[in-house]
Structure formats: structure tokens, C-alpha cells
Amino acid sequence: MLLTWIAEVADEPLVLEPTDHPVEWETNTWWLSAEDEDRRSLSVSEVVAAFERTASTVHSRVRGTGFTGVATFYVWHDVQADQLRCSTGSVPPDQLPFGGAYFPSEDLAPIVAAFLSAPEVRAALPEPEDVSDLAGADDRSEPERVPFPVWVSPAPAHPFG
């Protein structure tokens, strides 16, 4: 079922609105879950390939709109919700709309592997931390934040842009 949902993301509504990122986030973000049976039946390479196909389709759709700005399709594992999430935004990979520390990655396999892992392994994964509530905090008292990986797939520039 997870592979079907990943494929369906490519055909869902797509909004690229550089002046209104909240609208993009609301329209273009998908939450994907899977039962343990589904997770056990899938390989990391199958899920990675499904996301790569979806990213390719999203890129084609972005180019088809004539959009000439930057657009990035991205995937991350929300450990707290135990979901894979994906979105498309009119931002470069280093400016994704996360409230916490993240790092852009070109390797989706570890993100998918963490999601597909056994429940006891998933429970032991560190949770990403939101740093947005630390604005103005004294640097000496700020706890160290571990960035989480986000697979990024920037859309190629429009040939006429």
C-alpha cells in the first residue's frame, strides 16, 4: 500500500507560490504511514525507487507549469509521528521550511531504512527537536540539537527560465 500512496503523490495538487510558503506546505505535503506487515514486505530499494519516480514526475509537472523559480521535492522520516513525509516547495534544499535543524541529503536509503525498521528499533531512534522555541535563548544554555536528514531532489531549472 505504501508504494501506491507514494505513486499517488505525483498526481496530487501542486502549488508553487514563492510568496506564500504556508499555502505550498498545506497543499504539497503528504503524510505516509504503513502497517508493520507492509513495512516487513518492502525493501529499502523498492521504496527509494518509488520516491525517485515520484520526484521525477513532480519535476516534469513543475517544468510543465512554466515555473522558472527553484523547486525542491523532499522526503523525511517524522520519528515522532512514525511517518514518512514528503513535500514540494519553491525553495532551495538549504532553505526548507523546518522549525528544527536538518541537513539536506542525496541519500534516501537511510531515511527509508529507519522508517521500515522493526518497531523496537524505531522506538529507539532519536526524535528531531524543534529549535524554533529557542529564539533569544542564551547560547550557553542552549542544548545541542542533532539535525535530521532530509532527502532533497531539486527540480532542474526550466530551460526558458
Side-chain angles (χ1 to χ4, degrees):
M1 195 67 184
L2 179 63
L3 298 179
T4 301
W5 291 335
I6 294 169
E8 289 174 353
V9 166
D11 297 322
E12 292 294 333
L14 178 66
V15 172
L16 296 171
E17 189 59 57
T19 61
D20 196 349
H21 293 293
V23 167
E24 288 182 341
W25 178 261
E26 184 176 319
T27 305
N28 302 340
T29 303
W30 303 101
W31 299 265
L32 307 170
S33 297
E35 297 296 327
D36 285 336
E37 277 183 44
D38 196 18
R39 293 178 202 233
R40 284 190 297 271
S41 72
L42 294 170
S43 71
V44 170
S45 60
E46 287 175 307
V47 177
V48 167
F51 273 119
E52 288 172 342
R53 285 188 300 272
T54 294
S56 178
T57 301
V58 168
H59 294 166
S60 293
R61 290 182 62 202
V62 168
R63 285 191 305 273
T65 68
F67 182 74
T68 58
V70 175
T72 303
F73 178 80
Y74 52 103
V75 177
W76 70 102
H77 178 206
D78 183 324
V79 176
Q80 293 171 328
D82 195 22
Q83 297 173 331
L84 283 174
R85 296 192 179 180
C86 61
S87 190
T88 303
S90 60
V91 293
D94 63 346
Q95 294 179 15
L96 300 178
F98 290 107
Y102 74 95
F103 64 91
S105 173
E106 294 180 3
D107 189 1
L108 180 54
I111 297 167
V112 170
F115 174 75
L116 293 178
S117 63
E120 59 275 6
V121 173
R122 290 193 310 272
L125 292 172
E127 294 182 3
E129 304 208 28
D130 185 358
V131 297
S132 62
D133 61 343
L134 296 176
D138 185 343
D139 287 342
R140 292 169 288 157
S141 65
E142 189 173 304
E144 184 177 332
R145 303 294 184 195
V146 178
F148 61 96
V150 178
W151 179 68
V152 295
S153 181
H158 192 281
F160 306 109

